[in-house]
mmCIF file of all heavy atoms in Angstrom:
data_model
loop_
_atom_site.group_PDB
_atom_site.id
_atom_site.type_symbol
_atom_site.label_atom_id
_atom_site.label_comp_id
_atom_site.label_asym_id
_atom_site.label_seq_id
_atom_site.Cartn_x
_atom_site.Cartn_y
_atom_site.Cartn_z
ATOM 1 N N MET A 32 14.992 41.475 -12.315
ATOM 2 C CA MET A 32 13.528 41.372 -12.193
ATOM 3 C C MET A 32 12.854 41.295 -13.538
ATOM 4 O O MET A 32 11.628 41.088 -13.609
ATOM 5 C CB MET A 32 12.986 42.595 -11.408
ATOM 6 C CG MET A 32 13.604 42.798 -10.030
ATOM 7 S SD MET A 32 13.573 41.261 -9.107
ATOM 8 C CE MET A 32 11.945 41.344 -8.397
ATOM 9 N N PHE A 35 10.467 38.441 -14.565
ATOM 10 C CA PHE A 35 9.128 38.361 -13.961
ATOM 11 C C PHE A 35 8.114 39.201 -14.700
ATOM 12 O O PHE A 35 6.918 39.199 -14.359
ATOM 13 C CB PHE A 35 9.149 38.753 -12.512
ATOM 14 C CG PHE A 35 10.077 37.919 -11.659
ATOM 15 C CD1 PHE A 35 11.125 38.550 -10.958
ATOM 16 C CD2 PHE A 35 10.027 36.571 -11.607
ATOM 17 C CE1 PHE A 35 12.017 37.784 -10.219
ATOM 18 C CE2 PHE A 35 10.856 35.805 -10.830
ATOM 19 C CZ PHE A 35 11.883 36.464 -10.125
ATOM 20 N N ASN A 36 8.563 39.915 -15.812
ATOM 21 C CA ASN A 36 7.589 40.741 -16.527
ATOM 22 C C ASN A 36 6.503 39.939 -17.193
ATOM 23 O O ASN A 36 6.739 38.829 -17.769
ATOM 24 C CB ASN A 36 8.366 41.534 -17.623
ATOM 25 C CG ASN A 36 9.044 42.753 -17.109
ATOM 26 O OD1 ASN A 36 8.596 43.234 -16.061
ATOM 27 N ND2 ASN A 36 10.045 43.133 -17.680
ATOM 28 N N GLY A 46 -4.439 42.876 -21.190
ATOM 29 C CA GLY A 46 -5.819 42.885 -20.675
ATOM 30 C C GLY A 46 -6.115 41.670 -19.932
ATOM 31 O O GLY A 46 -5.231 40.728 -19.800
ATOM 32 N N THR A 47 -7.294 41.665 -19.351
ATOM 33 C CA THR A 47 -7.690 40.494 -18.496
ATOM 34 C C THR A 47 -7.606 39.169 -19.294
ATOM 35 O O THR A 47 -7.213 38.145 -18.815
ATOM 36 C CB THR A 47 -9.038 40.707 -17.894
ATOM 37 O OG1 THR A 47 -9.034 41.910 -17.170
ATOM 38 C CG2 THR A 47 -9.384 39.560 -16.960
ATOM 39 N N PHE A 48 -8.129 39.209 -20.547
ATOM 40 C CA PHE A 48 -8.240 37.977 -21.283
ATOM 41 C C PHE A 48 -7.162 37.805 -22.347
ATOM 42 O O PHE A 48 -7.204 36.952 -23.196
ATOM 43 C CB PHE A 48 -9.610 37.951 -22.003
ATOM 44 C CG PHE A 48 -10.774 38.091 -20.987
ATOM 45 C CD1 PHE A 48 -11.528 39.257 -20.980
ATOM 46 C CD2 PHE A 48 -11.030 37.147 -20.069
ATOM 47 C CE1 PHE A 48 -12.532 39.505 -20.039
ATOM 48 C CE2 PHE A 48 -12.000 37.327 -19.137
ATOM 49 C CZ PHE A 48 -12.790 38.488 -19.120
ATOM 50 N N ALA A 49 -6.095 38.703 -22.280
ATOM 51 C CA ALA A 49 -5.020 38.576 -23.258
ATOM 52 C C ALA A 49 -4.230 37.298 -23.017
ATOM 53 O O ALA A 49 -4.152 36.838 -21.922
ATOM 54 C CB ALA A 49 -4.135 39.784 -23.130
ATOM 55 N N THR A 51 -0.956 35.748 -22.503
ATOM 56 C CA THR A 51 0.324 36.235 -22.133
ATOM 57 C C THR A 51 1.298 35.016 -21.824
ATOM 58 O O THR A 51 0.948 33.904 -21.996
ATOM 59 C CB THR A 51 0.220 37.066 -20.824
ATOM 60 O OG1 THR A 51 -0.412 36.281 -19.842
ATOM 61 C CG2 THR A 51 -0.641 38.306 -21.072
ATOM 62 N N THR A 54 -0.250 32.785 -19.357
ATOM 63 C CA THR A 54 -1.117 31.745 -19.974
ATOM 64 C C THR A 54 -0.292 30.591 -20.414
ATOM 65 O O THR A 54 -0.645 29.418 -20.119
ATOM 66 C CB THR A 54 -1.841 32.406 -21.162
ATOM 67 O OG1 THR A 54 -2.192 33.658 -20.891
ATOM 68 C CG2 THR A 54 -3.012 31.534 -21.545
ATOM 69 N N LEU A 57 1.262 28.588 -17.376
ATOM 70 C CA LEU A 57 0.168 27.915 -16.655
ATOM 71 C C LEU A 57 -0.339 26.709 -17.467
ATOM 72 O O LEU A 57 -0.538 25.589 -16.962
ATOM 73 C CB LEU A 57 -1.003 28.812 -16.391
ATOM 74 C CG LEU A 57 -0.744 29.899 -15.272
ATOM 75 C CD1 LEU A 57 -1.988 30.858 -15.256
ATOM 76 C CD2 LEU A 57 -0.605 29.227 -13.951
ATOM 77 N N VAL A 69 -2.149 11.440 -15.679
ATOM 78 C CA VAL A 69 -3.184 10.730 -16.507
ATOM 79 C C VAL A 69 -2.431 9.780 -17.487
ATOM 80 O O VAL A 69 -2.668 8.585 -17.530
ATOM 81 C CB VAL A 69 -4.051 11.732 -17.273
ATOM 82 C CG1 VAL A 69 -4.961 10.984 -18.168
ATOM 83 C CG2 VAL A 69 -4.855 12.493 -16.244
ATOM 84 N N SER A 72 -0.327 7.076 -15.717
ATOM 85 C CA SER A 72 -1.042 6.005 -15.077
ATOM 86 C C SER A 72 -1.956 5.260 -16.041
ATOM 87 O O SER A 72 -2.793 4.471 -15.632
ATOM 88 C CB SER A 72 -1.875 6.532 -13.851
ATOM 89 O OG SER A 72 -2.911 7.320 -14.295
ATOM 90 N N SER A 73 -1.858 5.565 -17.370
ATOM 91 C CA SER A 73 -2.884 5.061 -18.256
ATOM 92 C C SER A 73 -2.800 3.579 -18.485
ATOM 93 O O SER A 73 -3.782 2.933 -18.942
ATOM 94 C CB SER A 73 -2.735 5.774 -19.656
ATOM 95 O OG SER A 73 -1.466 5.513 -20.169
ATOM 96 N N ARG A 75 -2.389 1.361 -16.105
ATOM 97 C CA ARG A 75 -3.045 0.678 -14.950
ATOM 98 C C ARG A 75 -2.368 -0.604 -14.673
ATOM 99 O O ARG A 75 -3.081 -1.655 -14.317
ATOM 100 C CB ARG A 75 -4.514 0.388 -15.207
ATOM 101 C CG ARG A 75 -5.391 1.623 -15.536
ATOM 102 C CD ARG A 75 -6.618 1.164 -16.193
ATOM 103 N NE ARG A 75 -7.430 2.288 -16.688
ATOM 104 C CZ ARG A 75 -8.472 2.811 -16.014
ATOM 105 N NH1 ARG A 75 -8.801 2.366 -14.927
ATOM 106 N NH2 ARG A 75 -9.061 3.840 -16.564
ATOM 107 N N ALA A 76 -1.045 -0.596 -14.674
ATOM 108 C CA ALA A 76 -0.302 -1.867 -14.517
ATOM 109 C C ALA A 76 -0.354 -2.264 -12.977
ATOM 110 O O ALA A 76 -0.225 -1.414 -12.118
ATOM 111 C CB ALA A 76 1.056 -1.724 -14.994
ATOM 112 N N ILE A 77 -0.406 -3.567 -12.771
ATOM 113 C CA ILE A 77 -0.299 -4.048 -11.363
ATOM 114 C C ILE A 77 1.155 -3.892 -10.882
ATOM 115 O O ILE A 77 1.427 -3.483 -9.838
ATOM 116 C CB ILE A 77 -0.659 -5.548 -11.368
ATOM 117 C CG1 ILE A 77 -2.226 -5.697 -11.551
ATOM 118 C CG2 ILE A 77 -0.273 -6.143 -9.975
ATOM 119 C CD1 ILE A 77 -3.080 -5.153 -10.459
ATOM 120 N N PRO A 79 3.900 -1.426 -11.663
ATOM 121 C CA PRO A 79 4.020 -0.111 -12.387
ATOM 122 C C PRO A 79 5.335 0.135 -13.056
ATOM 123 O O PRO A 79 6.344 -0.368 -12.613
ATOM 124 C CB PRO A 79 3.751 0.858 -11.239
ATOM 125 C CG PRO A 79 4.206 0.203 -10.028
ATOM 126 C CD PRO A 79 4.000 -1.219 -10.178
ATOM 127 N N GLN A 83 4.269 5.654 -13.885
ATOM 128 C CA GLN A 83 3.185 5.295 -12.981
ATOM 129 C C GLN A 83 3.667 5.198 -11.540
ATOM 130 O O GLN A 83 2.943 5.605 -10.646
ATOM 131 C CB GLN A 83 2.628 3.923 -13.450
ATOM 132 C CG GLN A 83 1.263 3.596 -12.783
ATOM 133 C CD GLN A 83 0.725 2.293 -13.193
ATOM 134 O OE1 GLN A 83 1.011 1.703 -14.250
ATOM 135 N NE2 GLN A 83 0.043 1.641 -12.238
ATOM 136 N N GLU A 87 1.992 7.265 -8.581
ATOM 137 C CA GLU A 87 1.466 6.600 -7.389
ATOM 138 C C GLU A 87 2.154 7.085 -6.131
ATOM 139 O O GLU A 87 1.556 7.250 -5.082
ATOM 140 C CB GLU A 87 1.678 5.042 -7.557
ATOM 141 C CG GLU A 87 0.669 4.455 -8.458
ATOM 142 C CD GLU A 87 0.971 2.990 -8.654
ATOM 143 O OE1 GLU A 87 1.808 2.421 -7.954
ATOM 144 O OE2 GLU A 87 0.300 2.383 -9.553
ATOM 145 N N TYR A 90 0.742 10.432 -5.328
ATOM 146 C CA TYR A 90 -0.588 10.197 -4.716
ATOM 147 C C TYR A 90 -0.529 9.779 -3.293
ATOM 148 O O TYR A 90 -1.142 10.370 -2.452
ATOM 149 C CB TYR A 90 -1.280 9.130 -5.544
ATOM 150 C CG TYR A 90 -2.720 8.748 -5.123
ATOM 151 C CD1 TYR A 90 -3.818 9.265 -5.742
ATOM 152 C CD2 TYR A 90 -2.808 7.814 -4.071
ATOM 153 C CE1 TYR A 90 -5.039 8.930 -5.298
ATOM 154 C CE2 TYR A 90 -4.133 7.435 -3.646
ATOM 155 C CZ TYR A 90 -5.230 8.022 -4.275
ATOM 156 O OH TYR A 90 -6.490 7.665 -3.882
ATOM 157 N N THR A 114 -4.565 19.111 -5.979
ATOM 158 C CA THR A 114 -4.505 20.117 -7.040
ATOM 159 C C THR A 114 -3.497 21.196 -6.674
ATOM 160 O O THR A 114 -2.653 21.570 -7.531
ATOM 161 C CB THR A 114 -5.932 20.727 -7.197
ATOM 162 O OG1 THR A 114 -6.875 19.741 -7.482
ATOM 163 C CG2 THR A 114 -5.958 21.772 -8.318
ATOM 164 N N PHE A 118 -0.037 21.679 -8.805
ATOM 165 C CA PHE A 118 0.186 22.923 -9.525
ATOM 166 C C PHE A 118 1.439 23.647 -9.119
ATOM 167 O O PHE A 118 2.278 24.027 -9.920
ATOM 168 C CB PHE A 118 -1.043 23.871 -9.328
ATOM 169 C CG PHE A 118 -0.803 25.292 -9.798
ATOM 170 C CD1 PHE A 118 -0.673 25.494 -11.127
ATOM 171 C CD2 PHE A 118 -0.652 26.281 -8.967
ATOM 172 C CE1 PHE A 118 -0.391 26.799 -11.648
ATOM 173 C CE2 PHE A 118 -0.347 27.611 -9.442
ATOM 174 C CZ PHE A 118 -0.227 27.799 -10.764
ATOM 175 N N SER A 136 6.136 32.857 -8.816
ATOM 176 C CA SER A 136 6.900 33.947 -8.272
ATOM 177 C C SER A 136 6.067 35.255 -8.120
ATOM 178 O O SER A 136 6.539 36.218 -7.637
ATOM 179 C CB SER A 136 8.128 34.203 -9.125
ATOM 180 O OG SER A 136 7.696 34.773 -10.304
ATOM 181 N N HIS A 137 4.808 35.158 -8.574
ATOM 182 C CA HIS A 137 3.973 36.341 -8.535
ATOM 183 C C HIS A 137 2.948 36.255 -7.375
ATOM 184 O O HIS A 137 2.335 35.250 -7.129
ATOM 185 C CB HIS A 137 3.169 36.473 -9.841
ATOM 186 C CG HIS A 137 3.945 37.150 -10.944
ATOM 187 N ND1 HIS A 137 3.769 38.517 -11.202
ATOM 188 C CD2 HIS A 137 4.959 36.780 -11.779
ATOM 189 C CE1 HIS A 137 4.598 38.882 -12.129
ATOM 190 N NE2 HIS A 137 5.371 37.793 -12.484
ATOM 191 N N MET A 205 10.919 33.801 -6.037
ATOM 192 C CA MET A 205 11.397 35.041 -6.620
ATOM 193 C C MET A 205 12.855 35.286 -6.218
ATOM 194 O O MET A 205 13.691 35.594 -7.042
ATOM 195 C CB MET A 205 10.509 36.217 -6.188
ATOM 196 C CG MET A 205 10.853 37.524 -6.841
ATOM 197 S SD MET A 205 9.918 38.854 -6.176
ATOM 198 C CE MET A 205 10.739 39.120 -4.659
ATOM 199 N N MET E 23 9.399 46.181 -9.393
ATOM 200 C CA MET E 23 8.968 44.771 -9.182
ATOM 201 C C MET E 23 7.724 44.519 -10.067
ATOM 202 O O MET E 23 6.685 45.055 -9.831
ATOM 203 C CB MET E 23 8.701 44.506 -7.694
ATOM 204 C CG MET E 23 9.895 44.005 -7.000
ATOM 205 S SD MET E 23 9.471 43.667 -5.254
ATOM 206 C CE MET E 23 8.724 42.150 -5.414
ATOM 207 N N PRO E 24 7.836 43.666 -11.036
ATOM 208 C CA PRO E 24 6.649 43.291 -11.900
ATOM 209 C C PRO E 24 5.568 42.666 -11.014
ATOM 210 O O PRO E 24 4.402 42.738 -11.384
ATOM 211 C CB PRO E 24 7.192 42.297 -12.903
ATOM 212 C CG PRO E 24 8.728 42.517 -12.896
ATOM 213 C CD PRO E 24 9.051 42.978 -11.542
ATOM 214 N N GLN E 25 5.970 42.063 -9.842
ATOM 215 C CA GLN E 25 5.023 41.439 -8.987
ATOM 216 C C GLN E 25 3.955 42.419 -8.453
ATOM 217 O O GLN E 25 2.838 42.101 -8.080
ATOM 218 C CB GLN E 25 5.705 40.790 -7.784
ATOM 219 C CG GLN E 25 6.250 39.426 -8.050
ATOM 220 C CD GLN E 25 7.613 39.480 -8.671
ATOM 221 O OE1 GLN E 25 8.119 40.506 -9.003
ATOM 222 N NE2 GLN E 25 8.264 38.305 -8.763
ATOM 223 N N PHE E 31 -2.664 41.900 -12.815
ATOM 224 C CA PHE E 31 -3.291 40.956 -11.864
ATOM 225 C C PHE E 31 -4.480 40.262 -12.424
ATOM 226 O O PHE E 31 -4.672 39.058 -12.283
ATOM 227 C CB PHE E 31 -3.689 41.698 -10.516
ATOM 228 C CG PHE E 31 -2.502 41.685 -9.525
ATOM 229 C CD1 PHE E 31 -1.190 41.793 -9.985
ATOM 230 C CD2 PHE E 31 -2.761 41.630 -8.167
ATOM 231 C CE1 PHE E 31 -0.168 41.812 -9.065
ATOM 232 C CE2 PHE E 31 -1.709 41.610 -7.239
ATOM 233 C CZ PHE E 31 -0.419 41.728 -7.693
ATOM 234 N N ASN E 33 -5.271 39.597 -15.439
ATOM 235 C CA ASN E 33 -4.808 38.628 -16.443
ATOM 236 C C ASN E 33 -4.311 37.329 -15.722
ATOM 237 O O ASN E 33 -4.806 36.205 -16.031
ATOM 238 C CB ASN E 33 -3.761 39.190 -17.326
ATOM 239 C CG ASN E 33 -3.296 38.196 -18.380
ATOM 240 O OD1 ASN E 33 -2.457 37.450 -18.181
ATOM 241 N ND2 ASN E 33 -3.980 38.300 -19.549
ATOM 242 N N GLN E 34 -3.487 37.555 -14.798
ATOM 243 C CA GLN E 34 -2.911 36.366 -14.060
ATOM 244 C C GLN E 34 -3.999 35.566 -13.305
ATOM 245 O O GLN E 34 -3.978 34.277 -13.401
ATOM 246 C CB GLN E 34 -1.886 36.856 -12.982
ATOM 247 C CG GLN E 34 -0.620 37.388 -13.672
ATOM 248 C CD GLN E 34 0.465 37.618 -12.668
ATOM 249 O OE1 GLN E 34 0.874 36.634 -12.048
ATOM 250 N NE2 GLN E 34 0.918 38.827 -12.497
ATOM 251 N N ILE E 35 -4.885 36.278 -12.611
ATOM 252 C CA ILE E 35 -5.919 35.626 -11.863
ATOM 253 C C ILE E 35 -6.838 34.854 -12.762
ATOM 254 O O ILE E 35 -7.251 33.703 -12.546
ATOM 255 C CB ILE E 35 -6.691 36.636 -10.990
ATOM 256 C CG1 ILE E 35 -5.691 37.145 -9.861
ATOM 257 C CG2 ILE E 35 -7.881 36.052 -10.288
ATOM 258 C CD1 ILE E 35 -6.167 38.354 -9.132
ATOM 259 N N PHE E 36 -7.204 35.483 -13.901
ATOM 260 C CA PHE E 36 -8.093 34.823 -14.878
ATOM 261 C C PHE E 36 -7.545 33.491 -15.323
ATOM 262 O O PHE E 36 -8.207 32.490 -15.273
ATOM 263 C CB PHE E 36 -8.361 35.785 -16.067
ATOM 264 C CG PHE E 36 -9.123 35.127 -17.185
ATOM 265 C CD1 PHE E 36 -10.436 34.763 -17.028
ATOM 266 C CD2 PHE E 36 -8.454 34.819 -18.363
ATOM 267 C CE1 PHE E 36 -11.119 34.164 -18.106
ATOM 268 C CE2 PHE E 36 -9.076 34.242 -19.400
ATOM 269 C CZ PHE E 36 -10.470 33.902 -19.286
ATOM 270 N N TRP E 37 -6.267 33.560 -15.802
ATOM 271 C CA TRP E 37 -5.696 32.333 -16.306
ATOM 272 C C TRP E 37 -5.378 31.279 -15.207
ATOM 273 O O TRP E 37 -5.513 30.093 -15.428
ATOM 274 C CB TRP E 37 -4.370 32.621 -17.122
ATOM 275 C CG TRP E 37 -4.725 33.305 -18.420
ATOM 276 C CD1 TRP E 37 -4.331 34.609 -18.676
ATOM 277 C CD2 TRP E 37 -5.403 32.833 -19.546
ATOM 278 N NE1 TRP E 37 -4.815 34.982 -19.970
ATOM 279 C CE2 TRP E 37 -5.452 33.876 -20.521
ATOM 280 C CE3 TRP E 37 -6.008 31.640 -19.814
ATOM 281 C CZ2 TRP E 37 -6.071 33.730 -21.711
ATOM 282 C CZ3 TRP E 37 -6.640 31.482 -21.047
ATOM 283 C CH2 TRP E 37 -6.706 32.519 -21.975
ATOM 284 N N LEU E 38 -5.052 31.785 -14.025
ATOM 285 C CA LEU E 38 -4.839 30.912 -12.902
ATOM 286 C C LEU E 38 -6.085 30.122 -12.587
ATOM 287 O O LEU E 38 -6.062 28.923 -12.342
ATOM 288 C CB LEU E 38 -4.311 31.718 -11.676
ATOM 289 C CG LEU E 38 -4.178 30.803 -10.430
ATOM 290 C CD1 LEU E 38 -3.064 29.841 -10.578
ATOM 291 C CD2 LEU E 38 -3.955 31.694 -9.157
ATOM 292 N N LEU E 42 -6.315 26.174 -12.501
ATOM 293 C CA LEU E 42 -6.680 25.384 -11.292
ATOM 294 C C LEU E 42 -7.902 24.473 -11.594
ATOM 295 O O LEU E 42 -7.856 23.348 -11.195
ATOM 296 C CB LEU E 42 -6.886 26.313 -10.149
ATOM 297 C CG LEU E 42 -5.628 26.991 -9.505
ATOM 298 C CD1 LEU E 42 -6.045 27.859 -8.386
ATOM 299 C CD2 LEU E 42 -4.673 25.926 -9.043
ATOM 300 N N ILE E 45 -6.761 21.575 -13.699
ATOM 301 C CA ILE E 45 -5.990 20.603 -12.899
ATOM 302 C C ILE E 45 -6.952 19.822 -11.987
ATOM 303 O O ILE E 45 -6.853 18.595 -11.882
ATOM 304 C CB ILE E 45 -4.814 21.227 -12.087
ATOM 305 C CG1 ILE E 45 -3.788 21.756 -13.106
ATOM 306 C CG2 ILE E 45 -4.205 20.215 -11.226
ATOM 307 C CD1 ILE E 45 -2.672 22.569 -12.445
ATOM 308 N N TYR E 46 -7.836 20.584 -11.350
ATOM 309 C CA TYR E 46 -8.801 19.898 -10.410
ATOM 310 C C TYR E 46 -9.626 18.841 -11.189
ATOM 311 O O TYR E 46 -9.814 17.723 -10.622
ATOM 312 C CB TYR E 46 -9.728 20.967 -9.768
ATOM 313 C CG TYR E 46 -10.672 20.385 -8.701
ATOM 314 C CD1 TYR E 46 -10.160 20.035 -7.448
ATOM 315 C CD2 TYR E 46 -11.997 20.059 -9.038
ATOM 316 C CE1 TYR E 46 -11.046 19.452 -6.528
ATOM 317 C CE2 TYR E 46 -12.818 19.436 -8.159
ATOM 318 C CZ TYR E 46 -12.324 19.142 -6.879
ATOM 319 O OH TYR E 46 -13.200 18.568 -5.987
ATOM 320 N N ILE E 48 -8.921 17.368 -14.049
ATOM 321 C CA ILE E 48 -8.017 16.262 -14.492
ATOM 322 C C ILE E 48 -7.822 15.292 -13.335
ATOM 323 O O ILE E 48 -7.901 14.131 -13.494
ATOM 324 C CB ILE E 48 -6.728 16.837 -15.025
ATOM 325 C CG1 ILE E 48 -6.923 17.522 -16.379
ATOM 326 C CG2 ILE E 48 -5.710 15.676 -15.170
ATOM 327 C CD1 ILE E 48 -5.672 18.264 -16.813
ATOM 328 N N LEU E 49 -7.469 15.891 -12.147
ATOM 329 C CA LEU E 49 -7.184 14.986 -11.051
ATOM 330 C C LEU E 49 -8.395 14.288 -10.473
ATOM 331 O O LEU E 49 -8.365 13.076 -10.344
ATOM 332 C CB LEU E 49 -6.481 15.832 -9.924
ATOM 333 C CG LEU E 49 -5.094 16.313 -10.226
ATOM 334 C CD1 LEU E 49 -4.560 17.169 -9.059
ATOM 335 C CD2 LEU E 49 -4.139 15.147 -10.448
ATOM 336 N N ALA E 53 -7.467 11.195 -12.921
ATOM 337 C CA ALA E 53 -6.194 10.659 -12.422
ATOM 338 C C ALA E 53 -6.370 9.988 -11.026
ATOM 339 O O ALA E 53 -5.942 8.845 -10.821
ATOM 340 C CB ALA E 53 -5.161 11.725 -12.330
ATOM 341 N N LEU E 54 -6.977 10.675 -10.106
ATOM 342 C CA LEU E 54 -7.040 10.151 -8.719
ATOM 343 C C LEU E 54 -7.898 8.877 -8.607
ATOM 344 O O LEU E 54 -7.391 7.883 -8.002
ATOM 345 C CB LEU E 54 -7.520 11.260 -7.730
ATOM 346 C CG LEU E 54 -6.572 12.466 -7.678
ATOM 347 C CD1 LEU E 54 -7.068 13.474 -6.635
ATOM 348 C CD2 LEU E 54 -5.153 12.122 -7.407
ATOM 349 N N ARG E 56 -8.436 6.761 -10.895
ATOM 350 C CA ARG E 56 -7.666 5.658 -11.594
ATOM 351 C C ARG E 56 -6.588 5.115 -10.707
ATOM 352 O O ARG E 56 -6.426 3.941 -10.561
ATOM 353 C CB ARG E 56 -7.126 6.190 -12.910
ATOM 354 C CG ARG E 56 -6.423 5.089 -13.679
ATOM 355 C CD ARG E 56 -5.702 5.730 -14.862
ATOM 356 N NE ARG E 56 -6.607 6.184 -15.949
ATOM 357 C CZ ARG E 56 -6.233 6.837 -16.992
ATOM 358 N NH1 ARG E 56 -4.970 7.174 -17.145
ATOM 359 N NH2 ARG E 56 -7.102 7.142 -17.940
ATOM 360 N N ILE E 57 -5.775 6.051 -10.166
ATOM 361 C CA ILE E 57 -4.620 5.657 -9.257
ATOM 362 C C ILE E 57 -5.182 4.857 -8.049
ATOM 363 O O ILE E 57 -4.619 3.845 -7.629
ATOM 364 C CB ILE E 57 -3.786 6.779 -8.905
ATOM 365 C CG1 ILE E 57 -3.047 7.339 -10.183
ATOM 366 C CG2 ILE E 57 -2.713 6.394 -7.917
ATOM 367 C CD1 ILE E 57 -2.338 8.569 -9.979
ATOM 368 N N ALA E 58 -6.258 5.412 -7.515
ATOM 369 C CA ALA E 58 -6.816 4.699 -6.327
ATOM 370 C C ALA E 58 -7.249 3.339 -6.694
ATOM 371 O O ALA E 58 -7.027 2.379 -5.923
ATOM 372 C CB ALA E 58 -8.017 5.490 -5.783
ATOM 373 N N VAL E 60 -6.028 1.440 -9.110
ATOM 374 C CA VAL E 60 -4.841 0.600 -9.357
ATOM 375 C C VAL E 60 -4.220 0.155 -8.018
ATOM 376 O O VAL E 60 -3.921 -1.008 -7.836
ATOM 377 C CB VAL E 60 -3.827 1.438 -10.190
ATOM 378 C CG1 VAL E 60 -2.469 0.655 -10.189
ATOM 379 C CG2 VAL E 60 -4.225 1.634 -11.569
ATOM 380 N N LEU E 61 -4.150 1.095 -7.056
ATOM 381 C CA LEU E 61 -3.680 0.734 -5.746
ATOM 382 C C LEU E 61 -4.485 -0.263 -5.072
ATOM 383 O O LEU E 61 -3.946 -1.241 -4.478
ATOM 384 C CB LEU E 61 -3.484 1.982 -4.864
ATOM 385 C CG LEU E 61 -2.473 3.012 -5.309
ATOM 386 C CD1 LEU E 61 -2.462 4.299 -4.413
ATOM 387 C CD2 LEU E 61 -1.069 2.419 -5.340
ATOM 388 N N GLU E 63 -6.533 -2.386 -6.483
ATOM 389 C CA GLU E 63 -6.447 -3.646 -7.209
ATOM 390 C C GLU E 63 -5.140 -4.374 -6.811
ATOM 391 O O GLU E 63 -5.204 -5.648 -6.614
ATOM 392 C CB GLU E 63 -6.381 -3.339 -8.707
ATOM 393 C CG GLU E 63 -6.688 -4.545 -9.574
ATOM 394 C CD GLU E 63 -6.566 -4.226 -11.056
ATOM 395 O OE1 GLU E 63 -6.849 -3.029 -11.407
ATOM 396 O OE2 GLU E 63 -6.240 -5.074 -11.857
ATOM 397 N N ARG E 64 -4.038 -3.601 -6.736
ATOM 398 C CA ARG E 64 -2.798 -4.256 -6.317
ATOM 399 C C ARG E 64 -2.902 -4.836 -4.911
ATOM 400 O O ARG E 64 -2.517 -5.997 -4.701
ATOM 401 C CB ARG E 64 -1.659 -3.219 -6.368
ATOM 402 C CG ARG E 64 -0.323 -3.798 -5.993
ATOM 403 C CD ARG E 64 0.790 -2.800 -6.218
ATOM 404 N NE ARG E 64 0.685 -2.151 -7.524
ATOM 405 C CZ ARG E 64 0.970 -0.941 -7.809
ATOM 406 N NH1 ARG E 64 1.456 -0.155 -6.851
ATOM 407 N NH2 ARG E 64 0.827 -0.454 -9.006
#
Side-chain angles (χ1 to χ4, degrees):
Chain A
M32 304 311 275
F35 302 122
N36 277 336
T47 303
F48 305 111
T51 56
T54 318
L57 284 174
V69 175
S72 69
S73 60
R75 301 161 187 263
I77 290 293
Q83 196 184 328
E87 284 175 10
Y90 179 98
T114 303
F118 169 70
S136 68
H137 273 263
M205 185 185 76
Chain E
M23 270 180 79
Q25 276 87 351
F31 272 34
N33 184 273
Q34 292 193 58
I35 291 166
F36 170 70
W37 291 112
L38 175 68
L42 285 181
I45 293 175
Y46 182 80
I48 287 170
L49 289 179
L54 299 183
R56 182 188 288 173
I57 293 172
V60 169
L61 291 177
E63 195 183 331
R64 180 172 312 145

